[in-house]
Amino acid sequence: MGDQTDVQHTAQSAQTVPDGSLVGIVGAGTMGVGVAQCFAEAGFPVVVVDNDPGALASGPDRLRDGIRTTALLRRGARQVRAVAPAPRAESLVTWSGELADLAAALLVVECAREDEDIKEGILRELDRICGAEAIFASNTSCIPVGRLGSFTGRPDRVIGTHFMNPAPLKDAVEVVRAPETSDLTLERTEGFLAHIGKHALVVRDAPGFVTNRVLMLTLNEAAAVLGEGTADAETVDRIFQDCFGHPMGPLRTADLIGLDTIVDSLEVLRRHTGEDRFRPSPLLSRLVAEGRVGRKSGSGFYPYAPQHLVARGGTERG
């Protein structure tokens, strides 16, 4: 009965989204391109905005690679998707250096770096540019959504949509509802997610929400035990895989997310909770200072082959 109710709710939510709605993505880094792929594969026209010309120039190739890789992985795992990828999804994505090109978007997903000042500037500008019906969905990993909504004149239309990396392969999205977020905003956001084959897990607003309030401490402690010499990186990860059934250990997970993103997130959590337990471990801070931030830089806790390197984007690191 529960599954049937979920299906009915998903269908009802999907009906709240007009066909052909323009979706805006702010940030052409890993998460921004991944989220853009999700919407384009579902047939939505998408505009991706970034202020880094290099990120924009490499964006189409990275999107094309992502679509190809995702298709192979889905086929290998025999996954059944709720939506069929649109033919030539990359043709639905436009790349721009101007936020003004998002004026007609009904949904804007902000995927900028986890820096409150950067997000504030983006949201204030979007508030000025976009129509009154537009929803601003932040992919923030830790900043309270109510705080982000306060940067706009429409806090009722601001919501958190915390996509997981890699976005095209993760079917769940942590949706964060602030006290000011309206019922319509939540319903329409769930509708967009239903259209792209995702299901929303709705949580209340708080620093780090559920995922990163717990995960960031785990990743930080894994870096700490490695730095203290308790075990090497491979053993730390194998313990989580073999003992707890995790598909990927905490250190490989950290490299996938990006160590710079983790440090930013920990600092946000420390600032908003006042708790020093979120202070980045010495090893984590040192790796970031050295530019060894994980897969996207070619090394982190592990070395990576050159094909993993991606542009970091002007408005985000992840």
Side-chain angles (χ1 to χ4, degrees):
M1 177 67 77
D3 291 343
Q4 183 177 356
T5 301
D6 289 343
V7 170
Q8 290 174 344
H9 179 67
T10 297
Q12 291 168 355
S13 296
Q15 292 173 5
T16 68
V17 179
D19 291 338
S21 298
L22 178 66
V23 174
I25 308 291
V26 181
T30 300
M31 286 307 302
V33 172
V35 174
Q37 178 184 330
C38 293
F39 282 98
E41 285 188 329
F44 287 98
V46 179
V47 176
V48 180
V49 176
D50 200 298
N51 60 6
D52 180 356
L56 292 176
S58 66
D61 286 339
R62 289 186 286 124
L63 175 65
R64 194 173 302 111
D65 289 344
I67 292 171
R68 184 184 308 114
T69 300
T70 301
L72 290 172
L73 290 173
R74 287 174 183 159
R75 193 175 305 128
R78 296 185 178 180
Q79 293 181 354
V80 178
R81 300 288 293 173
V83 291
R88 297 191 58 81
E90 63 266 27
S91 67
L92 292 172
V93 181
T94 303
W95 306 84
S96 172
E98 302 294 332
L99 286 173
D101 289 335
L102 303 183
L106 185 59
L107 175 72
V108 179
V109 183
E110 173 269 306
C111 296
R113 172 185 165 186
E114 193 69 357
D115 182 296
E116 193 168 302
D117 291 339
I118 290 174
K119 291 182 184 293
E120 177 179 358
I122 291 169
L123 288 166
R124 289 191 185 281
E125 186 68 5
L126 289 173
D127 195 33
R128 185 184 67 81
I129 291 168
C130 296
E133 292 293 308
I135 292 170
F136 300 154
S138 178
N139 192 49
T140 178
S141 58
C142 289
I143 301 171
V145 172
R147 174 67 175 165
L148 297 176
S150 73
F151 301 143
T152 76
R154 62 181 87 187
D156 60 311
R157 291 188 174 273
V158 178
I159 194 167
T161 49
H162 187 202
F163 288 82
M164 307 298 150
N165 187 26
L169 293 174
K170 301 293 185 178
D171 291 337
V173 177
E174 184 182 37
V175 173
V176 185
R177 183 178 189 176
E180 301 82 6
T181 305
S182 70
D183 291 343
L184 177 61
T185 296
L186 177 60
E187 183 180 359
R188 183 158 283 180
T189 300
E190 290 180 314
F192 271 106
L193 293 175
H195 268 293
I196 65 174
K198 311 290 186 189
H199 65 273
L201 297 172
V202 182
V203 303
R204 294 173 61 183
D205 197 17
F209 326 122
V210 174
T211 50
N212 283 333
R213 184 68 173 262
V214 177
L215 178 63
M216 291 301 153
L217 281 174
T218 301
L219 303 184
N220 199 35
E221 285 300 305
V225 298
L226 175 63
E228 293 164 4
T230 306
D232 59 25
E234 185 69 34
T235 302
V236 171
D237 282 339
R238 284 291 301 276
I239 286 172
F240 275 77
Q241 292 173 282
D242 295 355
C243 297
F244 303 137
H246 291 200
M248 184 185 298
L251 299 177
R252 284 195 176 87
T253 298
D255 277 350
L256 178 63
I257 293 171
L259 307 191
D260 50 350
T261 299
I262 292 168
V263 167
D264 284 345
S265 298
L266 286 166
E267 293 292 1
V268 168
L269 285 165
R270 189 157 68 109
R271 183 165 62 253
H272 282 281
T273 64
E275 298 179 16
D276 202 55
R277 63 193 175 120
F278 292 107
R279 182 185 297 275
S281 71
L283 176 58
L284 192 56
S285 296
R286 177 169 63 80
L287 290 174
V288 171
E290 293 173 356
R292 296 167 58 190
V293 296
R295 290 192 179 214
K296 60 190 174 185
S297 69
S299 67
F301 293 114
Y302 296 91
Y304 296 94
Q307 62 262 31
H308 287 116
L309 301 180
V310 300
R312 298 169 77 177
T315 55
E316 76 160 335
R317 291 189 184 184

Tab-separated table of all heavy atoms in Angstrom, residues 234-259:
chain	number	residue	atom	x	y	z
A	234	GLU	N	43.632	2.550	2.532
A	234	GLU	CA	42.951	1.368	2.015
A	234	GLU	C	42.272	0.592	3.140
A	234	GLU	O	41.134	0.124	2.998
A	234	GLU	CB	43.943	0.469	1.280
A	234	GLU	CG	43.309	-0.734	0.606
A	234	GLU	CD	42.440	-0.379	-0.582
A	234	GLU	OE1	42.772	0.602	-1.285
A	234	GLU	OE2	41.421	-1.069	-0.799
A	235	THR	N	42.951	0.458	4.277
A	235	THR	CA	42.374	-0.284	5.402
A	235	THR	C	41.184	0.442	6.003
A	235	THR	O	40.167	-0.185	6.348
A	235	THR	CB	43.450	-0.537	6.469
A	235	THR	OG1	44.538	-1.257	5.884
A	235	THR	CG2	42.880	-1.335	7.633
A	236	VAL	N	41.290	1.760	6.132
A	236	VAL	CA	40.156	2.539	6.644
A	236	VAL	C	38.921	2.285	5.785
A	236	VAL	O	37.824	1.996	6.291
A	236	VAL	CB	40.485	4.040	6.679
A	236	VAL	CG1	39.232	4.860	6.998
A	236	VAL	CG2	41.577	4.339	7.702
A	237	ASP	N	39.091	2.364	4.478
A	237	ASP	CA	37.948	2.175	3.585
A	237	ASP	C	37.451	0.729	3.594
A	237	ASP	O	36.235	0.480	3.565
A	237	ASP	CB	38.321	2.597	2.162
A	237	ASP	CG	38.297	4.107	1.984
A	237	ASP	OD1	37.633	4.792	2.786
A	237	ASP	OD2	38.930	4.613	1.040
A	238	ARG	N	38.377	-0.232	3.646
A	238	ARG	CA	37.961	-1.642	3.651
A	238	ARG	C	37.153	-1.978	4.900
A	238	ARG	O	36.234	-2.807	4.850
A	238	ARG	CB	39.191	-2.549	3.561
A	238	ARG	CG	39.815	-2.637	2.174
A	238	ARG	CD	38.922	-3.387	1.193
A	238	ARG	NE	38.634	-4.739	1.634
A	238	ARG	CZ	39.429	-5.785	1.420
A	238	ARG	NH1	40.580	-5.631	0.773
A	238	ARG	NH2	39.078	-6.991	1.827
A	239	ILE	N	37.482	-1.366	6.019
A	239	ILE	CA	36.716	-1.608	7.245
A	239	ILE	C	35.260	-1.209	7.049
A	239	ILE	O	34.332	-1.932	7.428
A	239	ILE	CB	37.358	-0.874	8.436
A	239	ILE	CG1	38.640	-1.599	8.857
A	239	ILE	CG2	36.375	-0.763	9.605
A	239	ILE	CD1	39.455	-0.862	9.886
A	240	PHE	N	35.035	-0.054	6.437
A	240	PHE	CA	33.662	0.399	6.208
A	240	PHE	C	32.961	-0.467	5.163
A	240	PHE	O	31.757	-0.716	5.259
A	240	PHE	CB	33.652	1.870	5.783
A	240	PHE	CG	33.680	2.822	6.936
A	240	PHE	CD1	34.853	3.075	7.622
A	240	PHE	CD2	32.521	3.439	7.368
A	240	PHE	CE1	34.884	3.934	8.710
A	240	PHE	CE2	32.538	4.302	8.448
A	240	PHE	CZ	33.721	4.556	9.124
A	241	GLN	N	33.711	-0.923	4.171
A	241	GLN	CA	33.111	-1.761	3.139
A	241	GLN	C	32.836	-3.178	3.648
A	241	GLN	O	31.733	-3.706	3.483
A	241	GLN	CB	34.039	-1.817	1.917
A	241	GLN	CG	34.147	-0.494	1.175
A	241	GLN	CD	35.205	-0.550	0.080
A	241	GLN	OE1	36.398	-0.457	0.337
A	241	GLN	NE2	34.742	-0.724	-1.157
A	242	ASP	N	33.827	-3.792	4.274
A	242	ASP	CA	33.703	-5.202	4.667
A	242	ASP	C	32.920	-5.395	5.962
A	242	ASP	O	32.223	-6.398	6.121
A	242	ASP	CB	35.097	-5.822	4.822
A	242	ASP	CG	35.856	-5.872	3.506
A	242	ASP	OD1	35.277	-5.510	2.471
A	242	ASP	OD2	37.036	-6.271	3.521
A	243	CYS	N	33.029	-4.441	6.880
A	243	CYS	CA	32.350	-4.586	8.171
A	243	CYS	C	30.943	-4.002	8.177
A	243	CYS	O	30.058	-4.525	8.855
A	243	CYS	CB	33.167	-3.932	9.278
A	243	CYS	SG	34.792	-4.671	9.548
A	244	PHE	N	30.750	-2.906	7.443
A	244	PHE	CA	29.467	-2.202	7.479
A	244	PHE	C	28.675	-2.288	6.185
A	244	PHE	O	27.550	-1.814	6.113
A	244	PHE	CB	29.684	-0.720	7.831
A	244	PHE	CG	30.407	-0.500	9.126
A	244	PHE	CD1	31.408	0.448	9.231
A	244	PHE	CD2	30.095	-1.249	10.251
A	244	PHE	CE1	32.082	0.663	10.422
A	244	PHE	CE2	30.758	-1.046	11.453
A	244	PHE	CZ	31.761	-0.090	11.544
A	245	GLY	N	29.286	-2.877	5.145
A	245	GLY	CA	28.570	-3.018	3.884
A	245	GLY	C	28.485	-1.757	3.058
A	245	GLY	O	27.651	-1.666	2.146
A	246	HIS	N	29.336	-0.757	3.347
A	246	HIS	CA	29.323	0.454	2.537
A	246	HIS	C	29.918	0.147	1.157
A	246	HIS	O	30.949	-0.529	1.061
A	246	HIS	CB	30.146	1.552	3.202
A	246	HIS	CG	29.529	2.087	4.454
A	246	HIS	ND1	29.874	3.304	4.985
A	246	HIS	CD2	28.576	1.585	5.274
A	246	HIS	CE1	29.174	3.517	6.093
A	246	HIS	NE2	28.380	2.482	6.274
A	247	PRO	N	29.305	0.645	0.086
A	247	PRO	CA	29.857	0.383	-1.247
A	247	PRO	C	31.190	1.089	-1.476
A	247	PRO	O	31.988	0.671	-2.305
A	247	PRO	CB	28.778	0.918	-2.190
A	247	PRO	CG	28.016	1.910	-1.381
A	247	PRO	CD	28.037	1.391	0.022
A	248	MET	N	31.431	2.173	-0.743
A	248	MET	CA	32.661	2.941	-0.896
A	248	MET	C	33.066	3.441	0.489
A	248	MET	O	32.220	3.910	1.255
A	248	MET	CB	32.421	4.127	-1.835
A	248	MET	CG	33.651	4.950	-2.163
A	248	MET	SD	33.238	6.416	-3.166
A	248	MET	CE	32.569	5.650	-4.635
A	249	GLY	N	34.322	3.347	0.834
A	249	GLY	CA	34.758	3.807	2.152
A	249	GLY	C	34.736	5.316	2.271
A	249	GLY	O	34.573	6.041	1.283
A	250	PRO	N	34.930	5.855	3.491
A	250	PRO	CA	34.826	7.302	3.704
A	250	PRO	C	35.889	8.119	2.987
A	250	PRO	O	35.618	9.248	2.556
A	250	PRO	CB	34.945	7.443	5.224
A	250	PRO	CG	35.642	6.196	5.676
A	250	PRO	CD	35.174	5.132	4.745
A	251	LEU	N	37.083	7.587	2.831
A	251	LEU	CA	38.139	8.367	2.190
A	251	LEU	C	37.939	8.441	0.678
A	251	LEU	O	38.156	9.499	0.072
A	251	LEU	CB	39.506	7.782	2.540
A	251	LEU	CG	39.826	7.794	4.050
A	251	LEU	CD1	41.172	7.133	4.322
A	251	LEU	CD2	39.798	9.216	4.610
A	252	ARG	N	37.511	7.345	0.056
A	252	ARG	CA	37.178	7.413	-1.370
A	252	ARG	C	35.948	8.298	-1.587
A	252	ARG	O	35.856	9.010	-2.591
A	252	ARG	CB	36.945	6.013	-1.936
A	252	ARG	CG	38.221	5.225	-2.171
A	252	ARG	CD	37.989	4.009	-3.054
A	252	ARG	NE	39.236	3.324	-3.341
A	252	ARG	CZ	39.780	2.395	-2.575
A	252	ARG	NH1	39.157	2.022	-1.447
A	252	ARG	NH2	40.923	1.811	-2.898
A	253	THR	N	35.005	8.234	-0.662
A	253	THR	CA	33.846	9.115	-0.748
A	253	THR	C	34.277	10.570	-0.672
A	253	THR	O	33.793	11.428	-1.420
A	253	THR	CB	32.853	8.805	0.392
A	253	THR	OG1	32.398	7.460	0.257
A	253	THR	CG2	31.665	9.753	0.358
A	254	ALA	N	35.196	10.871	0.226
A	254	ALA	CA	35.697	12.239	0.364
A	254	ALA	C	36.369	12.706	-0.922
A	254	ALA	O	36.161	13.843	-1.378
A	254	ALA	CB	36.673	12.319	1.534
A	255	ASP	N	37.176	11.833	-1.528
A	255	ASP	CA	37.831	12.198	-2.791
A	255	ASP	C	36.803	12.453	-3.891
A	255	ASP	O	37.003	13.317	-4.756
A	255	ASP	CB	38.776	11.078	-3.231
A	255	ASP	CG	40.136	11.150	-2.552
A	255	ASP	OD1	40.426	12.163	-1.892
A	255	ASP	OD2	40.916	10.184	-2.698
A	256	LEU	N	35.716	11.698	-3.888
A	256	LEU	CA	34.669	11.899	-4.895
A	256	LEU	C	33.964	13.226	-4.684
A	256	LEU	O	33.716	13.979	-5.634
A	256	LEU	CB	33.662	10.751	-4.832
A	256	LEU	CG	32.468	10.836	-5.787
A	256	LEU	CD1	32.937	10.794	-7.237
A	256	LEU	CD2	31.482	9.704	-5.511
A	257	ILE	N	33.634	13.548	-3.448
A	257	ILE	CA	32.957	14.819	-3.146
A	257	ILE	C	33.872	15.993	-3.442
A	257	ILE	O	33.444	17.016	-3.983
A	257	ILE	CB	32.531	14.843	-1.667
A	257	ILE	CG1	31.445	13.798	-1.404
A	257	ILE	CG2	32.024	16.228	-1.264
A	257	ILE	CD1	31.127	13.613	0.066
A	258	GLY	N	35.135	15.879	-3.071
A	258	GLY	CA	36.082	16.982	-3.167
A	258	GLY	C	36.471	17.439	-1.768
A	258	GLY	O	35.613	17.854	-0.984
A	259	LEU	N	37.767	17.344	-1.439
A	259	LEU	CA	38.199	17.680	-0.084
A	259	LEU	C	38.001	19.152	0.221
A	259	LEU	O	37.769	19.528	1.377
A	259	LEU	CB	39.676	17.289	0.113
A	259	LEU	CG	40.053	15.841	-0.227
A	259	LEU	CD1	41.464	15.532	0.276
A	259	LEU	CD2	39.058	14.847	0.351
